[in-house]
């Protein structure tokens, strides 16, 4: 028989997944400077333009300040949300369903999570599987867990804030436990034209730091930066060649 517990109204907007990280303005610069937040490798904010123009190495002071905030920006998820400081102080005994609700609510405060991330946290805290399943399902019903909204916000923020392409975004969402169908829908927000425009912005910012190097080395460095961000090889080479040609480099033999 399914265990039922009394439920408080947990539908407050500040706890809903997908509500933070919204409102990203157009263009890469806005995402990087915190317009609606930006996702980092370990969570949701990597501040400042770095070596590649999107917070890789530079702007670290601003990046550290941004990571202290709540919402997406403060999220420092190392893969399992169970290590969050929000869980500290949870009593080891008591009603499992109440414990599970408390753990989930604290983890969701300011930091959207996927169902899998929360399930992993409950499992680590030794919440019985059947209780965890009931609690997580109820949280989905009231909108506190929404993997679709999570994925859409992730794609929007990570593309605008870090310039990541669809391939890299899909890989990151898989590590968060998002269903492949939802991943496809989320990355479908981006098309090839938008990806290429972002790639051009990335190259334009990186280009200045490669001046003085020989042409082939510049090509490798710029194309490699785009490859690390998930851009297809053909697109990366085309964008880099065009940028070098605009600076007067000969590229016919490339």
């Amino acid at each position: 028989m399914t265990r039922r517990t009394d439920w408080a109204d947990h539908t407050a907007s500040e706890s809903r997944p997908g509500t933070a990280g919204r409102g990203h303005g157009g263009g890469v610069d806005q995402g990087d400077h915190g317009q609606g937040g930006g996702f980092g490798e370990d969570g949701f904010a990597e501040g400042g333009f770095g070596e590649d123009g999107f917070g890789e190495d530079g702007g670290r002071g601003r990046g550290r300040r941004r990571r202290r905030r709540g919402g997406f920006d403060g999220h420092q998820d190392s893969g399992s949300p169970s290590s969050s400081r929000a869980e500290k102080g949870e009593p080891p005994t008591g009603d499992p369903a109440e414990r599970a609700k408390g753990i989930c609510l604290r983890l969701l405060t300011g930091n959207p999570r996927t169902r899998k991330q929360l399930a992993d946290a409950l499992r680590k805290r030794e919440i019985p599987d059947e209780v965890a399943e009931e609690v997580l399902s109820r949280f989905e019903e009231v909108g506190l867990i929404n993997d679709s909204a999570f994925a859409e916000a992730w794609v929007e923020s990570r593309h605008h804030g870090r310039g990541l392409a669809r391939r890299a975004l899909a890989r990151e969402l898989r590590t968060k436990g998002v269903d492949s169908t939802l991943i496809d829908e989320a990355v479908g927000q981006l098309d090839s034209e938008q990806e290429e425009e972002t790639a051009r912005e990335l190259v334009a910012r990186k280009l200045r730091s490669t001046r003085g190097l020989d042409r082939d080395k510049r090509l490798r460095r710029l194309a490699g930066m785009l490859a690390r961000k998930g851009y297809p090889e053909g697109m990366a080479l085309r964008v880099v060649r065009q940028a070098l040609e605009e600076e007067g480099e000969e590229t016919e033999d490339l």
Side-chain angles (χ1 to χ4, degrees), residues 125-175:
R125 297 303 299 272
E126 300 182 349
I127 300 296
D129 290 344
E130 63 275 12
V131 174
E133 182 67 21
E134 179 187 355
V135 170
L136 294 173
S137 294
R138 180 56 177 160
F139 270 50
E140 281 188 324
E141 290 176 10
V142 301
L144 289 173
I145 300 174
N146 188 332
D147 283 2
S148 177
F150 179 98
E152 290 176 4
W154 184 274
V155 167
E156 183 180 358
S157 182
R158 292 287 281 172
H159 179 73
H160 289 294
R162 294 290 301 279
L164 298 187
R166 287 173 292 184
R167 184 169 58 187
L169 293 166
R171 182 171 59 246
E172 289 184 341
L173 288 171
R174 282 194 294 271
T175 68

Side-chain angles (χ1 to χ4, degrees), residues 30-123:
Q30 289 182 330
D32 185 73
H33 286 81
Q35 299 295 321
F39 293 81
E41 293 290 351
D42 57 350
F44 286 75
E46 296 284 343
F49 288 102
E51 183 184 6
D52 62 359
F54 284 81
E56 291 283 331
D57 298 314
R60 294 189 178 183
R62 285 186 297 169
R64 284 193 291 269
R65 288 195 295 273
R66 189 171 295 131
R67 285 193 289 270
R68 295 191 187 106
R69 301 174 186 172
F72 286 161
D73 286 347
H75 188 19
Q76 298 188 39
D77 182 8
S78 60
S80 172
S82 58
S83 60
S84 170
R85 288 178 298 175
E87 286 189 56
K88 292 183 177 180
E90 176 68 20
T93 59
D95 180 67
E98 292 302 318
R99 289 183 57 219
K101 286 190 291 183
I103 292 169
C104 290
L105 285 173
R106 282 190 291 275
L107 286 171
L108 288 167
T109 301
N111 296 322
R113 312 274 182 163
T114 65
R115 177 167 178 145
K116 183 180 184 302
Q117 288 176 307
L118 293 172
D120 290 344
L122 296 180
R123 189 175 300 111

